[in-house]
Amino acid sequence: MTKFEIQIDLNVLNHLGMSLYSNTPAVLTEIISNAWDADAKNVDITLDQEAQAVIIRDDGHGMSQQDILEKFLKVGYARREHGRASSDNLQRQVMGRKGIGKLAMFSLANKIQVISRKKGDEIQAFEVDVAELQESIKVSRNYVAKTIAAPEHIEHGTTIKLYELKKSIDRTETYLRKRIARRFSIIGPGHDFNVKINNTNITPTDRDFLGDLQFLWEFGPSEQDRIDSCKSLIENKVLDNKISFNGIDYFITGYIGSVNKPSQLKKDPEISNNSITVISNGRVFEEDILLEFGSAKVFTNYLVGELVADFLDDNNQPDMATSSRQKLQQNDPRYPVLKGFLERALQQIDKDWDMWRRQQGVEEVKNNTPALSAWLDTLKVRERASAEKLLGKVNTFRFSGNDDEQKEARKTVLKNTVLAFEKLRIKDNLDALDNISNLSSESFKEVFASINDIEASMFYEIISQRLKVIDKFQKITDENQLEKAVQEYLYEHLWLLDPSWERSTGSTYIEQTLTKELKQIKPSAQSGARIDIAYKTVSGRHVIIEMKRPNVLPELMDIVAQARKYVEATQQWYRVNPGNCPGGKIPHIEVILLVGKGYLHEDQTFLVGQLSSINGKVMTYSDLITQSQQSYQEYHNKKQEAAKIIKIVEDI
């Protein structure tokens, strides 16, 4: 009977070792992981640039000859499947799983020496010549490593020497220290596992970004050592860290932080720290899962972090790491669970980041720009809250160019932001500010304003208010109500009498009594002087308004006489109160007699002469409304045209 036997060609080594690992940190990660599994407490890495060699020594339990033959040199030896999920002495959860990580060194060096000693056993030493190994693979011949002389002073542990390197190690040791620090969460005294490069310990500070973090979100219990390392920290929060898979609850640890400027994560051109690493059982499983979420959201460009998710490397679950152990297999059912957890966390981080950045932005604006701080003080409570929200948002926008160019661009935008805010404030539409997300958004362009926009908006608002007043008068049919409405609105809107008149620069009085002044000049006066409205205009003129009920047919000569009395009493008031006289002179006094219909006098010439003597004129309530309508008719017509267009647009 034919036996269908599966055979593995040695050429598989080319794919699993020599081509799989692409960089020095990845190779060192595999060797350090093996040292952890061997219960090492210390790993010393020496970079010999002159000799172009890398030497890695550990003080683990070492290997016997049998260990080397049956485990180390046996490609694909999966120790967990052989009941060795924990290390021999310290009972550590081991990192190795596939049994191919040892091949990583073949991608870095042409020659590899391995020297190892197990306690109570002889020193074992051999060398692999990668060129000879590849030749053996080519001709399908088994390869036997060369035995070499070994030093006698080794008590226990393993030393691996990589030389005749395929890749230069002229990169600084700082570079490797940063990369190794980001690939492990178990390095340091807290885990009794110390790793040195050229006699300098790798520590969490080698991650090179903790000191730049402004905001920090931690998963699980907060770590004080981490907080202490974040020298620029302003805000921090602990997020929910529970995750469920197959009905079992697991707990994520680690953190995500954000910096003030994205450039802080790119200080080293060879290393971008704008990433979120996934670590499981102490070592990297995914170098950057943040890539799965893209950069559509601005805040992701400011993030860096590490998630420790040990459930991804559960001994009772299939191995979900790729062969290079630098990525997660996305078809594993645990992957969407992890991604969903991170997605929810990022949603919360997005909200916090936006709020904290705006708060920080406002403080920076107020501290750096006193004029803006003074402007904020002029606003009402609700307006100020909206203004601070907008300024904080704008102050955190990203600008191109060097620092000076960015500063100038931000200043220009802040100026226009104030104008845009004032424009919306006039229109009472501050809610539109909530839609602004960045400089290029349509919402920002729509409110981006100039001085002309503000003036136009103000003019629009003034005219709109005046048209509302006129419309109100037109709808009043009861004459007594009309008198009350006119009196109320004339107090604030003198333009109803004359469109060229605006607000007063002096005091405005309503129902002012000048009886005392009248008695001073005319002791024999039978009655006093109660003026309905006395109003000083912007030009310094003093306007007296006397209103008669619309349904009472007045005797105009009696009204003129009454008005003359008011003028004389007002003049006396100025004499008694010289401090109120503009330029030291009694101002020009005008009188408006507001009456109902039917006031025509038989001798019109005589009436005009009498009115002229007191700088007076007679108007009816209907005259007032008609005059106002005519003054603003052109604008009213245009407004109706605009309303039609708006209606059409809204109905589309």
Side-chain angles (χ1 to χ4, degrees):
M1 179 182 291
T2 303
K3 295 182 178 180
F4 296 97
E5 179 182 1
I6 296 177
Q7 297 184 1
I8 306 297
D9 195 291
L10 276 178
N11 192 48
V12 75
L13 296 180
N14 280 324
H15 303 291
L16 292 180
M18 302 172 196
S19 303
L20 193 59
Y21 297 88
S22 58
N23 55 67
T24 304
V27 173
L28 293 179
T29 296
E30 293 301 332
I31 298 174
I32 293 170
S33 296
N34 287 341
W36 168 269
D37 293 351
D39 283 326
K41 295 184 178 181
N42 297 283
V43 179
D44 293 298
I45 301 172
T46 301
L47 305 177
D48 188 340
Q49 292 192 11
E50 184 175 346
Q52 284 294 291
V54 179
I55 303 169
I56 306 99
R57 298 182 181 89
D58 72 57
D59 59 358
H61 53 57
M63 295 181 288
S64 64
Q65 185 181 78
Q66 185 178 3
D67 291 333
I68 292 173
L69 293 174
E70 296 181 1
K71 299 171 186 176
F72 187 80
L73 291 180
K74 187 176 181 180
V75 178
Y77 171 77
R79 60 178 296 160
R80 298 194 202 185
E81 294 179 7
H82 289 78
R84 301 178 64 224
S86 298
S87 63
D88 295 345
N89 299 324
L90 300 179
Q91 297 301 298
R92 292 169 173 170
Q93 168 64 50
V94 299
M95 296 180 181
R97 189 147 188 170
K98 288 183 169 67
I100 61 173
K102 62 191 73 125
L103 302 179
M105 60 188 79
F106 292 164
S107 68
L108 184 61
N110 284 309
K111 290 188 178 180
I112 299 107
Q113 290 183 353
V114 179
I115 303 168
S116 189
R117 182 175 191 177
K118 199 170 187 175
K119 278 186 178 181
D121 212 331
E122 295 182 357
I123 297 176
Q124 306 296 320
F126 62 91
E127 179 181 273
V128 175
D129 186 313
V130 176
E132 292 180 1
L133 172 61
Q134 288 177 318
E135 182 61 29
S136 295
I137 290 173
K138 183 184 279 189
V139 297
S140 299
R141 181 179 66 239
N142 288 337
Y143 176 78
V144 178
K146 182 174 68 175
T147 301
I148 59 174
E152 298 180 356
H153 60 274
I154 298 176
E155 293 184 7
H156 61 88
T158 300
T159 298
I160 296 176
K161 180 178 180 181
L162 310 175
Y163 64 105
E164 291 188 15
L165 299 178
K166 299 177 182 179
K167 299 173 183 177
S168 174
I169 57 169
D170 55 0
R171 293 176 176 177
T172 64
E173 63 187 70
T174 304
Y175 163 80
L176 287 176
R177 189 173 291 112
K178 290 177 185 177
R179 296 299 298 271
I180 297 301
R182 288 221 61 185
R183 286 169 166 263
F184 292 95
S185 64
I186 42 75
I187 292 178
H191 299 274
D192 201 15
F193 188 63
N194 300 299
V195 179
K196 294 181 180 179
I197 296 182
N198 288 356
N199 295 317
T200 301
N201 278 312
I202 295 176
T203 68
T205 57
D206 287 316
R207 293 184 172 103
D208 192 38
F209 51 74
L210 290 176
D212 292 325
L213 297 185
Q214 272 193 322
F215 308 136
L216 182 69
W217 296 266
E218 295 179 280
F219 298 94
S222 177
E223 292 188 13
Q224 192 57 48
D225 289 344
R226 181 187 296 142
I227 297 291
D228 293 341
S229 298
C230 300
K231 304 299 183 183
S232 304
L233 193 63
I234 298 173
E235 299 280 358
N236 63 295
K237 176 186 280 189
V238 174
L239 299 180
D240 178 45
N241 68 328
K242 186 169 76 172
I243 192 170
S244 297
F245 175 70
N246 283 348
I248 301 175
D249 291 338
Y250 299 91
F251 295 91
I252 305 295
T253 57
Y255 64 92
I256 294 175
S258 81
V259 294
N260 183 36
K261 299 177 181 178
S263 58
Q264 291 172 291
L265 297 175
K266 301 173 182 177
K267 289 183 288 189
D268 189 329
E270 294 180 316
I271 307 173
S272 175
N273 285 324
N274 181 209
S275 59
I276 296 178
T277 303
V278 177
I279 291 175
S280 188
N281 285 328
R283 65 161 287 173
V284 64
F285 259 49
E286 173 88 57
E287 287 201 284
D288 186 13
I289 197 172
L290 187 59
L291 291 172
E292 291 297 310
F293 297 88
S295 58
K297 288 275 192 176
V298 173
F299 82 103
T300 60
N301 296 293
Y302 294 75
L303 299 184
V304 60
E306 296 175 358
L307 298 182
V308 179
D310 290 340
F311 82 103
L312 300 178
D313 196 29
D314 191 327
N315 294 323
N316 298 317
Q317 296 286 339
D319 186 5
M320 70 175 296
T322 58
S323 296
S324 66
R325 302 192 70 78
Q326 298 179 73
K327 292 284 290 183
L328 291 166
Q329 295 185 31
Q330 297 188 11
N331 61 350
D332 189 285
R334 284 167 288 179
Y335 189 83
V337 173
L338 176 67
K339 187 175 178 182
F341 171 85
L342 182 55
E343 187 170 26
R344 292 188 296 274
L346 289 176
Q347 288 173 352
Q348 181 60 52
I349 289 171
D350 187 8
K351 294 176 183 177
D352 293 337
W353 185 86
D354 185 58
M355 179 179 66
W356 292 345
R357 288 276 293 183
R358 282 191 280 105
Q359 291 173 349
Q360 181 65 17
V362 170
E363 291 306 312
E364 289 178 0
V365 166
K366 291 195 290 190
N367 292 334
N368 299 333
T369 315
L372 280 175
S373 182
W375 172 69
L376 288 171
D377 290 339
T378 67
L379 303 177
K380 297 177 182 177
V381 175
R382 175 180 174 271
E383 294 172 345
R384 178 172 182 138
S386 296
E388 288 185 344
K389 182 178 180 181
L390 178 60
L391 288 174
K393 188 178 293 187
V394 169
N395 198 48
T396 59
F397 286 164
R398 296 169 63 185
F399 297 88
S400 59
N402 57 39
D403 288 345
D404 289 339
E405 290 170 339
Q406 291 181 42
K407 185 177 180 180
E408 198 60 33
R410 180 172 284 105
K411 185 187 296 185
T412 299
V413 172
L414 285 172
K415 287 179 181 179
N416 283 280
T417 298
V418 173
L419 295 174
F421 182 88
E422 290 291 349
K423 176 182 177 182
L424 292 177
R425 184 164 71 98
I426 292 167
K427 293 184 175 181
D428 195 24
N429 188 25
L430 295 180
D431 292 340
L433 301 176
D434 293 334
N435 297 323
I436 297 174
S437 57
N438 55 62
L439 285 175
S440 60
S441 70
E442 289 301 318
S443 300
F444 188 84
K445 293 174 183 177
E446 288 174 5
V447 300
F448 204 87
S450 67
I451 290 293
N452 289 337
D453 292 325
I454 300 301
E455 291 176 345
S457 295
M458 288 179 172
F459 180 74
Y460 170 85
E461 222 27 52
I462 290 170
I463 300 302
S464 296
Q465 291 299 323
R466 292 186 177 184
L467 289 174
K468 289 178 183 177
V469 171
I470 295 170
D471 289 341
K472 183 176 179 65
F473 285 166
Q474 286 181 308
K475 294 174 182 177
I476 296 176
T477 57
D478 185 277
E479 293 181 333
N480 289 328
Q481 287 185 1
L482 181 60
E483 179 191 11
K484 292 178 181 178
V486 169
Q487 185 180 36
E488 176 187 348
Y489 280 99
L490 279 181
Y491 184 72
E492 290 292 336
H493 305 287
L494 201 60
W495 53 267
L496 285 163
L497 297 173
D498 188 333
S500 66
W501 292 350
E502 297 297 338
R503 289 187 176 274
S504 165
T505 56
S507 299
T508 302
Y509 305 95
I510 188 167
E511 293 189 350
Q512 181 182 12
T513 301
L514 298 175
T515 301
K516 182 177 69 172
E517 287 77 8
L518 185 61
K519 292 288 186 180
Q520 288 173 351
I521 57 175
K522 288 187 176 182
S524 60
Q526 297 299 311
S527 61
R530 186 192 67 79
I531 303 174
D532 288 334
I533 298 177
Y535 207 108
K536 187 192 295 182
T537 68
V538 290
S539 61
R541 292 176 295 177
H542 193 111
V543 180
I544 297 173
I545 303 168
E546 176 63 10
M547 294 188 295
K548 296 301 179 182
R549 292 184 178 179
N551 59 353
V552 176
L553 188 63
E555 177 54 56
L556 287 181
M557 295 311 299
D558 291 341
I559 299 176
V560 171
Q562 187 179 26
R564 191 182 305 280
K565 183 172 60 174
Y566 294 161
V567 172
E568 292 170 352
T570 302
Q571 289 172 335
Q572 177 62 18
W573 183 86
Y574 276 112
R575 294 189 191 100
V576 176
N577 300 280
N580 290 287
C581 296
K585 296 181 180 180
I586 296 175
H588 179 75
I589 299 173
E590 298 181 13
V591 180
I592 303 292
L593 304 177
L594 197 54
V595 299
K597 296 180 180 179
Y599 70 88
L600 290 177
H601 193 268
E602 294 178 359
D603 190 345
Q604 195 69 20
T605 303
F606 178 76
L607 175 61
V608 171
Q610 291 296 306
L611 289 171
S612 178
S613 67
I614 59 170
N615 298 315
K617 67 178 179 179
V618 178
M619 291 183 68
T620 66
Y621 289 95
S622 58
D623 288 340
L624 181 146
I625 296 173
T626 301
Q627 174 181 277
S628 299
Q629 283 180 318
Q630 292 174 345
S631 299
Y632 298 102
Q633 189 61 45
E634 182 179 356
Y635 183 85
H636 188 69
N637 293 339
K638 293 294 183 183
K639 184 180 179 183
Q640 289 179 326
E641 292 178 15
K644 292 178 183 177
I645 296 173
I646 292 172
K647 183 67 169 60
I648 292 172
V649 172
E650 289 177 343
D651 291 341
I652 293 176

